[in-house]
Amino acid sequence: MLFDQIYRELELTERHLIVLRKVIEEGPIGILKLSDETEMPTHKVRYSLRVLEQEHLIKPSSHGAVAGENTEKFLEDFDGQIADIIAKASHIQQIRNSI
């Protein structure tokens, strides 16, 4: 219903972060190894890699994906962005409580 899209986006973001973590920890790493280690189907890993590459969080190499030029900044900003999301969710809860 109302929260279905938000929930899907959160699950997708979680998947992208799992893939990014593996790339940072084990890069260079290929799609098949990522799929095996994350227990995700290859088509989902491939999509996450494409999204992460578009954001310059990873980059391809001849041996697999490696961390990209924006990875460090993304990780630095992550806690602040999550705090903003939590604050928005808290505000939504307050609205609900006032109904």
Side-chain angles (χ1 to χ4, degrees), residues 2-25:
L2 190 60
F3 293 105
D4 290 348
Q5 183 178 353
I6 295 168
Y7 190 76
R8 283 192 304 273
E9 288 296 324
L10 287 171
E11 285 184 328
L12 191 58
T13 299
E14 179 182 35
R15 189 175 85 211
H16 296 335
L17 288 171
I18 290 168
V19 170
L20 178 60
R21 180 181 63 201
K22 280 291 180 189
V23 170
I24 292 169
E25 291 174 349

Side-chain angles (χ1 to χ4, degrees), residues 20-62:
L20 178 60
R21 180 181 63 201
K22 280 291 180 189
V23 170
I24 292 169
E25 291 174 349
E26 300 184 28
I29 186 169
I31 292 172
L32 295 178
K33 187 171 181 185
L34 275 167
S35 177
D36 184 51
E37 293 195 12
T38 61
E39 298 180 352
M40 292 180 205
T42 56
H43 71 278
K44 289 186 176 187
V45 170
R46 188 175 287 110
Y47 178 73
S48 289
L49 289 171
R50 185 169 49 244
V51 170
L52 293 168
E53 185 177 354
Q54 288 172 348
E55 296 293 324
H56 304 284
L57 296 175
I58 65 161
K59 59 185 176 183
S61 76
S62 59

